[in-house]
Amino acid sequence: MSPITESLPDRPLSSSEIHALEAQREAYGVAPVGFAPDRDIVVAFVVIVGGERGHSLGFDTDAEQWVVVESFEDGDDFSAVTERLRSWVGDDWDEELAGENRG
């Protein structure tokens, strides 16, 4: 388990938990990528730590834990990072994420 995932629970996060992470903007920039509004769960998000290093995080249903899908430098193509994370989420959450607003 990565230090960035050690403090996360062994389940998807709720929207209020994501908002709590977002409230720490001085240390973190958080962008939910996989949100299932009907179940109020976030299964994937991107976090940028200290404005320098970013990580795509996803909830691995098989391992029942959060994993670092990708690490990247702040300034990398953010839309490509989020698209790769959406691809990683794949079919596991399709039904739950059907209501997700993808912009």
Side-chain angles (χ1 to χ4, degrees):
M1 187 174 272
S2 164
I4 195 89
T5 60
E6 286 177 358
S7 64
L8 298 174
D10 292 337
R11 59 171 172 70
L13 298 178
S14 68
S15 59
S16 62
E17 290 169 320
I18 286 293
H19 291 305
L21 285 174
E22 289 174 325
Q24 300 174 15
R25 285 204 186 264
E26 289 181 27
Y28 302 111
V30 180
V33 173
F35 175 56
D38 293 343
R39 293 184 53 201
D40 189 32
I41 58 172
V42 176
V43 299
F45 65 97
V46 175
V47 61
I48 297 176
V49 181
E52 297 177 7
R53 187 91 175 136
H55 306 279
S56 297
L57 304 174
F59 187 77
D60 184 326
T61 56
D62 293 331
E64 296 183 352
Q65 66 182 10
W66 287 91
V67 297
V68 175
V69 176
E70 176 182 8
S71 293
F72 58 93
E73 297 298 321
D74 188 22
D76 286 354
D77 182 355
F78 191 74
S79 71
V81 169
T82 59
E83 283 305 312
R84 286 191 296 272
L85 184 55
R86 285 188 179 150
S87 285
W88 179 89
V89 169
D91 298 336
D92 286 346
W93 296 97
D94 276 351
E95 187 175 314
E96 288 85 353
L97 298 178
E100 177 184 8
N101 179 3
R102 292 189 178 214

